[in-house]
């Protein structure tokens, strides 16, 4: 998919402004560090920068996205643009050494060479030290772009050699708009946009029947809980457990449940614009009337505890959920 500066500017206006200005002035750094959460556009930005430098039919600083160079960068086949990814759990010294050998040669087709290191924080110590030497003696025309979600794990000496750009998390409303443009129903889009910050992941969720069904089950569980805890326990057995099987799915299910309480809290605080289950606003308003802020906060805490138990113990889903149902019910009666 062709991506343009204008598109990325919607999500990362500061980064785009600074990079495009450098391009216009022809002042490209020899090393960049793009840091920020998963899904914030770091890779897309680095490929766009590469295309802006290598495109054969550039208009101003805009790559054409169609020429041989643009197409080869998109498909990962440009001889002067290299992308390094972790080999298994880490980026190894040999990978950096191979890159160095490659870069010791002249550029194949132009006077420029560019490399992108994804998950740069996953470099082993040896790999990081090799890279450091490389960064300390940059060859003219060489551009390095390091990408990381874990900025603090990089060597200080590497960071100080790079021009650092921080990528901001994408506001859920903006992501939801994008999903709606891709024909995802609005109520699903908004929920998916809260679950993840990544366009691809959110789009995948939005198109997944499992996710739409998960949303239904979570809302039904809450309604059951309000009525009768015994019914809720049966419901867990019949509907929840068969649907949320893997750990990641259960975790997501708990997040979806948490959002109902968050929505109620937002209603009580008069922050209607933050509501996630917007199509359920009438119900939410009713529900919010029947509990105190303290109860809601307590329930949220219970769900977060269940999430923690899920991720740190081997407790069975059934036990975990039964315990949670009882906790949530109790919260309602006694607080
Ligand atoms: Zn081009």
């Amino acid at each position: 998919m062709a991506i343009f500066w204008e598109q990325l500017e919607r999500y990362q206006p500061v980064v785009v402004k600074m990079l495009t200005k450098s391009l216009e002035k022809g002042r490209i750094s020899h090393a960049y560090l793009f840091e920020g959460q998963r899904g914030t556009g770091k890779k897309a930005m680095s490929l766009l920068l590469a295309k802006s430098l290598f495109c054969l039919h550039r208009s101003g600083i805009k790559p054409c996205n169609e020429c041989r160079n643009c197409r080869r960068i998109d498909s990962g086949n440009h001889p002067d643009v290299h992308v390094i990814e972790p080999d298994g759990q880490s980026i190894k010294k040999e990978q950096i050494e191979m890159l160095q050998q490659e870069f010791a040669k002249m550029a194949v087709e132009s006077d420029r060479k560019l490399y992108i290191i994804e998950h740069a924080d996953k470099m082993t110590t040896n790999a990081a030290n090799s890279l450091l030497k490389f960064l300390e003696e940059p060859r003219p025309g060489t551009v390095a772009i390091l990408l990381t979600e874990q900025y603090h794990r990089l060597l200080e000496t590497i960071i100080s050699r790079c021009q650092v750009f921080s990528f901001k998390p994408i506001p859920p409303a903006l992501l939801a708009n994008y999903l709606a443009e891709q024909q995802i129903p609005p109520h699903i889009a908004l929920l998916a946009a809260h679950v993840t910050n990544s366009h691809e992941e959110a789009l995948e969720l939005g198109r997944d029947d499992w996710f739409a069904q998960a949303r239904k089950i979570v809302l039904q569980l809450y309604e059951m809980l309000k009525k009768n805890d015994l019914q809720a326990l049966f419901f867990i057995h019949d509907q929840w457990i068969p649907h949320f099987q893997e750990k990641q799915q259960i975790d997501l299910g708990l997040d979806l449940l948490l959002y109902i309480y968050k929505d109620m809290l937002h209603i009580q605080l008069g922050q209607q614009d933050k509501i996630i289950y917007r199509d359920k606003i009438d119900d939410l308003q009713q529900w919010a009337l029947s509990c105190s802020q303290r109860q809601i906060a307590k329930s949220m805490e219970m769900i977060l505890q269940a999430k923690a138990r899920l991720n740190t113990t081997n407790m069975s889903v059934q036990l975990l959920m039964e315990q949670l149902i009882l906790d949530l019910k109790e919260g309602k009666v006694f607080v």
Side-chain angles (χ1 to χ4, degrees):
M1 189 174 69
I3 290 184
F4 302 93
W5 288 111
E6 292 84 353
Q7 279 169 294
L8 290 178
E9 196 172 13
R10 282 163 67 187
Y11 305 109
Q12 302 297 344
V14 179
V15 177
V16 167
K17 200 170 170 199
M18 293 179 76
L19 279 179
T20 49
K21 210 169 240 174
S22 309
L23 277 166
E24 278 160 7
K25 291 186 176 162
R27 279 198 213 134
I28 292 300
S29 296
H30 72 269
Y32 292 99
L33 175 61
F34 291 173
E35 70 92 11
Q37 279 176 30
R38 185 177 154 78
T40 46
K42 300 185 294 298
K43 179 83 181 283
M45 192 81 77
S46 59
L47 292 175
L48 186 58
L49 179 59
K51 282 193 268 183
S52 299
L53 291 170
F54 286 88
C55 176
L56 299 168
H57 306 297
R58 226 165 74 155
S59 124
I61 56 154
K62 293 178 188 172
C64 71
N65 274 308
E66 281 165 10
C67 71
R68 192 159 165 259
N69 281 355
C70 284
R71 277 186 283 123
R72 283 189 302 174
I73 289 170
D74 275 333
S75 61
N77 290 318
H78 195 291
D80 292 326
V81 177
H82 295 256
V83 180
I84 307 264
E85 299 169 348
D87 173 14
Q89 291 298 307
S90 60
I91 295 173
K92 309 200 164 52
K93 190 181 177 200
E94 297 76 60
Q95 289 177 273
I96 301 294
E97 279 173 351
M98 264 172 67
L99 186 73
Q100 283 165 318
Q101 282 162 19
E102 189 59 45
F103 273 70
K105 299 177 209 157
M106 288 298 283
V108 180
E109 293 188 6
S110 63
D111 51 0
R112 240 183 227 296
K113 271 177 167 286
L114 180 145
Y115 62 95
I116 297 166
I117 303 187
E118 287 190 71
H119 300 286
D121 51 278
K122 296 207 166 132
M123 279 186 287
T124 61
T125 312
N126 284 338
N129 283 324
S130 289
L131 181 73
L132 187 59
K133 273 187 225 135
F134 202 30
L135 289 174
E136 279 168 348
E137 298 153 15
R139 286 174 68 101
T142 299
V143 180
I145 308 174
L146 277 54
L147 315 182
T148 181
E149 292 161 24
Q150 315 252 2
Y151 180 54
H152 59 276
R153 288 202 182 160
L154 280 167
L155 290 179
E156 194 54 50
T157 39
I158 286 190
I159 297 172
S160 68
R161 297 269 158 197
C162 301
Q163 188 178 355
V164 181
F165 286 108
S166 292
F167 284 55
K168 302 272 168 283
I170 313 249
L174 211 56
L175 187 49
N177 283 346
Y178 162 79
L179 294 177
E181 282 166 17
Q182 311 298 314
Q183 319 303 328
I184 305 294
H187 63 288
I188 301 280
L190 200 54
L191 189 61
H194 278 83
V195 168
T196 172
N197 208 239
S198 149
H199 283 64
E200 295 83 38
E201 270 178 26
L203 195 56
E204 225 171 86
L205 280 177
R207 288 177 175 158
D208 190 353
D209 290 338
W210 181 90
F211 184 66
Q213 187 60 23
R215 183 183 188 275
K216 248 185 223 165
I217 291 175
V218 169
L219 284 163
Q220 275 175 344
L221 174 66
Y222 183 76
E223 284 176 42
M224 298 270 172
L225 256 171
K226 292 218 58 109
K227 284 187 208 143
N228 179 327
D229 53 347
L230 202 60
Q231 242 183 38
L233 286 174
F234 282 127
F235 185 77
I236 288 293
H237 224 266
D238 290 346
Q239 304 277 332
W240 184 288
I241 293 174
H243 194 73
F244 299 97
Q245 290 183 346
E246 289 161 31
K247 211 170 211 180
Q248 212 185 340
Q249 295 178 328
I250 303 164
D251 198 44
L252 177 61
L254 290 172
D255 279 335
L256 299 192
L257 186 62
L258 188 68
Y259 295 157
I260 297 180
Y261 290 90
K262 267 193 175 170
D263 275 359
M264 288 194 285
L265 199 58
H266 284 135
I267 286 175
Q268 293 194 347
L269 297 171
Q271 299 171 325
Q272 322 295 61
D273 56 314
K274 291 191 177 159
I275 294 172
I276 303 173
Y277 292 101
R278 224 163 267 180
D279 58 325
K280 287 281 182 188
I281 192 151
D282 292 341
D283 289 333
L284 285 165
Q285 265 160 349
Q286 282 293 325
W287 298 340
L289 279 177
S290 66
C291 31
S292 68
Q293 271 181 34
R294 245 186 97 197
Q295 283 173 326
I296 296 175
K298 184 90 187 148
S299 300
M300 287 171 71
E301 197 187 310
M302 296 300 178
I303 297 171
L304 290 172
Q305 278 175 13
K307 270 170 68 81
R309 272 199 296 273
L310 173 73
N311 290 309
T312 54
T313 67
N314 280 323
M315 202 172 188
S316 78
V317 196
Q318 188 176 336
L319 205 60
L320 185 104
M321 288 307 295
E322 282 175 0
Q323 182 65 54
L324 178 61
I325 295 300
L326 296 174
D327 285 345
L328 289 174
K329 201 71 195 171
E330 233 172 58
K332 214 158 278 153
V333 177
F334 295 114
V335 176

